[in-house]
C-alpha cells in the first residue's frame, strides 16, 4: 500500500509538472483574445523586410500560438521563402482543416496566426538562402502526410516544418519545445534533430528524448516537452516554451 501511494504521488507530480505551464497560461490570460477565427487578425506583423525592397534571397521560420485552447499547449509553425530578385514571399505550412493539408502559396511571411503575433525563429539570407530554397521546395513536395492531420501527437503543422528542416541539408533550425508534433516521426523511432548535430528517439510522438547542439536536451511525455538548453542558457517548460538568454538559430548579423 505504501509503495502504491508512493508511485501514485510520483505519477500525479509528473502530471502536475507537465500541465503546470498550460494551466499557468490559462490562469493568467496570456493567450491573445480571439473571439472568432473569421474576424481574428491575419495582418502582417511587420517583421519581414519588404520583398520588393530586398533583392537577396530569404528563408525564415516563424511560429505563433495555436488557435483556441490549443494555444495554451502549443505553437503553429511555418516556413517562408523569397527567391533572389522576387517581389513576393511564399509561405509553406500545413493547415488542418483542409483535405490536402499542405499549403504553399504567395503570402505575407509574418502574418498573425488568427490573432496571435508571430515570432521569428530563424532568418537566413543571401547566397546561403538561395542555395537552400530549391531543397526546401523539394522537401515540401515530398512531405509524406499530405492528406493526414492530427493535432496531437501528429502529423500536424509542426511535423511538417520539422520534416522540411530535416530534409533540407544546411537548414539547421531548432524548433521550440512547445511545437507539439515536431517529434512525430511516423513509423521511425529515431531521426536527426531539426537543429542538426543531434539525434532524437520518439515512440509515435507520445514519448521520446532529444539531444542536440542547438536544441539542448528535451524529454517528451505525451507530446509535452521539458528540458534545458546549455548553449542558449535556457530552460524549456511545457506550454510556456523556452526561456533563454540566447537564440541558437541562424539570424542576420546585426549591422553597426
Amino acid at each position: 500500500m505504501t509503495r502504491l501511494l508512493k508511485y501514485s504521488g510520483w505519477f500525479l507530480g509528473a502530471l502536475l509538472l507537465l500541465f503546470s505551464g498550460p494551466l499557468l497560461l490559462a490562469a493568467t490570460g496570456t493567450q491573445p483574445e480571439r473571439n472568432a477565427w473569421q474576424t481574428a487578425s491575419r495582418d502582417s506583423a511587420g517583421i519581414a523586410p519588404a520583398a520588393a525592397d530586398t533583392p537577396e534571397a530569404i528563408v525564415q521560420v516563424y511560429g505563433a500560438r495555436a488557435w483556441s485552447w490549443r494555444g495554451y499547449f502549443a505553437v503553429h509553425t511555418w516556413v517562408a521563402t523569397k527567391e533572389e530578385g522576387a517581389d513576393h514571399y511564399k509561405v509553406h505550412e500545413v493547415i488542418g482543416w483542409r483535405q490536402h493539408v499542405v499549403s504553399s502559396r504567395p503570402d505575407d511571411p509574418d502574418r498573425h496566426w488568427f490573432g496571435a503575433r508571430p515570432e521569428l525563429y530563424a532568418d537566413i539570407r543571401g547566397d546561403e538562402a538561395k542555395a537552400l530554397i530549391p531543397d526546401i521546395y523539394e522537401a515540401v513536395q515530398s512531405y509524406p502526410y499530405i492528406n493526414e492531420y492530427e493535432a496531437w501527437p501528429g502529423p500536424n503543422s509542426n511535423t511538417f516544418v520539422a520534416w522540411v528542416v530535416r530534409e533540407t541539408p544546411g537548414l539547421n533550425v531548432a524548433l521550440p519545445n512547445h511545437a507539439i508534433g515536431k517529434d512525430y516521426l511516423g513509423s521511425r523511432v529515431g531521426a536527426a534533430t531539426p537543429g542538426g548535430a543531434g539525434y532524437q528517439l520518439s515512440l509515435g510522438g507520445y514519448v521520446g528524448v532529444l539531444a542536440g547542439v542547438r536544441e539542448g536536451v528535451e524529454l517528451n511525455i505525451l507530446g509535452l516537452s521539458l528540458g534545458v538548453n546549455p548553449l542558449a542558457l535556457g530552460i524549456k517548460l511545457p506550454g510556456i516554451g523556452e526561456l533563454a538568454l540566447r537564440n541558437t538559430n541562424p539570424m542576420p548579423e546585426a549591422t553597426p
Side-chain angles (χ1 to χ4, degrees):
M1 185 65 179
T2 302
R3 181 174 296 180
L4 177 61
L5 291 174
K6 179 181 178 181
Y7 290 153
S8 298
W10 278 105
F11 177 74
L12 292 175
L15 284 181
L16 180 61
L17 176 62
L18 285 174
F19 287 93
S20 59
L23 289 173
L24 178 62
L25 294 177
T28 56
T30 303
Q31 265 276 65
E33 187 172 344
R34 298 179 279 181
N35 296 323
W37 66 267
Q38 297 95 331
T39 58
S41 173
R42 292 287 283 143
D43 295 336
S44 168
I47 299 173
D53 299 333
T54 311
E56 63 182 346
I58 300 175
V59 173
Q60 296 181 320
V61 180
Y62 287 91
R65 285 284 171 181
W67 170 258
S68 186
W69 58 268
R70 296 179 182 86
Y72 296 125
F73 292 86
V75 293
H76 165 82
T77 59
W78 63 92
V79 178
T81 57
K82 190 194 79 68
E83 298 180 22
E84 185 178 50
D87 62 356
H88 65 278
Y89 289 84
K90 288 184 179 179
V91 174
H92 316 276
E93 63 185 338
V94 154
I95 300 175
W97 53 81
R98 296 158 47 114
Q99 183 176 359
H100 185 89
V101 299
V102 177
S103 173
S104 186
R105 67 197 186 281
D107 202 350
D108 291 331
D110 53 359
R111 293 178 71 178
H112 286 70
W113 180 248
F114 297 98
R117 180 178 173 81
E119 180 180 349
L120 179 63
Y121 297 142
D123 188 342
I124 304 168
R125 305 189 186 188
D127 291 340
E128 184 179 0
K130 180 180 178 181
L132 291 172
I133 288 175
D135 290 331
I136 291 175
Y137 290 168
E138 185 174 337
V140 170
Q141 291 296 321
S142 65
Y143 181 62
Y145 311 111
I146 59 173
N147 295 317
E148 299 178 49
Y149 183 90
E150 292 291 340
W152 175 85
N156 58 25
S157 61
N158 300 319
T159 309
F160 169 75
V161 172
W163 167 272
V164 171
V165 172
R166 288 193 188 97
E167 295 297 309
T168 303
L171 182 60
N172 299 320
V173 176
L175 298 178
N177 63 296
H178 56 335
I180 293 177
K182 71 180 179 64
D183 301 319
Y184 180 85
L185 303 178
S187 60
R188 295 181 297 170
V189 176
T193 59
Y199 203 76
Q200 68 178 111
L201 302 173
S202 180
L203 298 178
Y206 294 103
V207 179
V209 63
L210 174 154
V213 173
R214 294 185 189 274
E215 286 96 346
V217 178
E218 294 180 16
L219 176 63
N220 170 17
I221 303 174
L222 300 178
L224 298 172
S225 296
L226 66 162
V228 295
N229 190 339
L231 186 61
L233 303 177
I235 60 172
K236 305 181 176 204
L237 302 175
I240 294 176
E242 185 170 334
L243 304 176
L245 298 179
R246 300 173 56 194
N247 181 2
T248 60
N249 284 325
M251 299 290 284
E253 294 184 4
T255 56

